[in-house]
Amino acid sequence: MAPLPHAAGGGARMSAAIEVRGLAKRYRDVVALAGVDLTVPQGTVHGLLGHNGAGKTTLVDVLATRARPSAGTARVAGLDVVRQARHVRRRIGLTGQYASIDEQLGGRDNLVLLARLLGARRAEARARADELLQLFGLTASATRPARTYSGGMRRRLDLAAALVNGPRVILLDEPTTGLDPAGRLDLWRIVRALVQDGAAVLLTTQYLDEADRLSDTITVLSRGRVVAGGTPAELKHRVGRRSATVRFAAAADLEAAGRALRRGGFRPAPAGERRAVTVPVERAGELAALVRVLDDAGLEPDELLVADPTLDEVYLALMSDPAATPEAVR
Ligand SMILES: Nc1ncnc2c1ncn2[C@@H]1O[C@H](COP(=O)(O)OP(=O)(O)OP(=O)(O)O)[C@@H](O)[C@H]1O
Ligand SMILES: [Mg+2]
């Protein structure tokens, strides 16, 4: 991908793309954010996870200067979101409200118009529009009215519109909700390209596999607080467990294996599939010991699979573990 032109750098080059400290946001009696800290370096993707109502959109809204924090600070591209809101808005790419798409205009005209509004010359605006249409696979539908676009095409045009100003900080609130699998993959490809090019992306998602594949770092919010953070690998390591799934052809073997494993000091649990158990194998040598236990019992599994925890497991553990409830963390 050709490098995108960027908004003017200013004096903020040395600071993180997003820097949030003690951020709180209260809507009357609802505490949407209750003291959030977050740092996103330039050139990285940060995934924001959390249950419905955890405060993800509120955080995006504060960063986008759409909501005013009740306490704490937030800086985007080195600029304060309250005191320098106008400058912040010029530096960010934001899907949704900001990028107003004219339904009657085609994708190209929409993008050209936006680029012109942002101060580009005619030829520059056209070039920018064509580059974005290409990037988002909208070239073939560039001239038909946006109102005829499918949901996925709309979403891509919306994101393209958010990138017209070549933002260094891009805020995406559930960007792939409603996209088909190909559309999701396309969006991931685009996000990676943007980040490779030096942009920082903050992305909220309900898809844990998406956060896992795309994010350099992740923050998990619960009830307005940070309950976990780190790289996907760190999160899995901290909360989840490496486990072996052992499958047998016969149900009787499965029962015998359960008994033998418990005798051997293992803690087998029903796996999510037929005739299989899952056994945590965290320490070195535990896997070999497991195989020995089964062998000694004369049991030969049909299949033995060792896997690291998925982010789903980490997330579910975080949400169900009372030790990880917001109060206990900070
Ligand atoms: N404008 C508002 N006025 C009053 N309460 C609000 C407002 N916006 C958000 N809230 C409340 O703040 C809390 C956090 O909402 P937010 O939209 O940030 O959650 P979220 O993590 O984005 O959830 P979801 O996954 O459903 O999108 C919720 O309790 C919500 O009802
Ligand atoms: Mg939301």
Side-chain angles (χ1 to χ4, degrees):
M1 188 182 86
L4 299 167
H6 300 130
R13 204 154 285 151
M14 298 310 288
S15 49
I18 297 172
E19 193 126 37
V20 170
R21 291 289 165 265
L23 192 69
K25 174 66 185 175
R26 175 186 282 274
Y27 291 107
R28 292 173 208 270
D29 52 345
V30 177
V31 178
L33 296 173
V36 168
D37 293 333
L38 183 85
T39 304
V40 182
Q42 210 60 62
T44 66
V45 182
H46 191 86
L48 199 56
L49 300 178
H51 57 78
N52 291 137
K56 305 180 295 296
T57 298
T58 303
L59 181 53
V60 169
D61 284 348
V62 168
L63 294 173
T65 77
R66 285 193 297 218
R68 217 184 146 89
S70 312
T73 59
R75 298 180 80 81
V76 172
L79 302 161
D80 186 276
V81 296
V82 177
R83 283 182 292 108
Q84 294 163 295
R86 229 157 40 84
H87 296 287
V88 169
R89 280 199 288 276
R90 251 188 264 140
R91 303 291 181 85
I92 57 174
L94 178 73
T95 52
Q97 275 89 327
Y98 262 115
S100 48
I101 302 295
D102 185 326
E103 297 291 334
Q104 306 308 321
L105 294 180
R108 174 179 287 115
D109 285 347
N110 262 298
L111 296 176
V112 169
L113 191 69
L114 263 174
R116 295 283 283 158
L117 284 174
L118 290 165
R121 293 164 191 277
R122 193 182 300 271
E124 216 178 5
R126 284 198 191 132
R128 181 72 184 144
D130 286 336
E131 184 188 8
L132 287 165
L133 289 165
Q134 178 94 43
L135 179 65
F136 286 88
L138 289 170
T139 305
S141 0
T143 54
R144 69 173 154 100
R147 67 181 146 76
T148 68
Y149 282 17
S150 74
M153 292 165 72
R154 257 315 275 261
R155 220 157 240 279
R156 280 181 277 155
L157 180 58
D158 193 35
L159 182 51
L163 300 181
V164 163
N165 60 338
R168 305 291 286 158
V169 181
I170 299 160
L171 308 172
L172 305 176
D173 195 2
E174 304 202 23
T176 61
T177 301
L179 288 188
D180 65 19
R184 284 181 79 198
L185 285 176
D186 279 347
L187 194 123
W188 295 357
R189 180 177 54 78
I190 290 164
V191 166
R192 289 199 185 101
L194 291 167
V195 165
Q196 193 131 42
D197 190 43
V201 175
L202 177 76
L203 140 134
T204 81
T205 181
Q206 296 291 350
Y207 301 111
L208 297 175
D209 65 321
E210 175 166 294
D212 195 0
R213 283 163 193 232
L214 216 48
S215 310
D216 297 290
T217 48
I218 288 175
T219 292
V220 184
L221 288 183
S222 175
R223 289 184 257 156
R225 290 177 195 268
V226 175
V227 291
T231 66
E234 279 166 356
L235 284 177
K236 291 176 196 173
H237 185 73
R238 200 180 313 163
V239 182
R241 315 179 129 179
R242 192 155 209 248
S243 66
T245 300
V246 195
R247 187 180 13 223
F248 294 91
D253 283 354
L254 178 67
E255 284 165 30
R259 285 192 299 274
L261 286 168
R262 274 190 292 274
R263 271 200 308 278
F266 289 96
R267 282 171 291 120
E273 46 189 309
R274 265 161 59 79
R275 288 203 267 280
V277 283
T278 300
V279 190
V281 284
E282 286 158 289
R283 292 187 299 277
E286 240 181 343
L287 184 61
L290 178 142
V291 172
R292 261 198 316 276
V293 165
L294 294 176
D295 195 40
D296 289 348
L299 296 163
E300 193 174 339
D302 249 19
E303 191 176 80
L304 176 74
L305 207 93
V306 181
D308 284 320
T310 65
L311 204 55
D312 289 50
E313 294 171 80
V314 175
Y315 182 80
L316 292 173
L318 273 173
M319 289 300 148
S320 64
D321 183 1
T325 54
E327 289 72 22
V329 172
R330 274 161 204 270

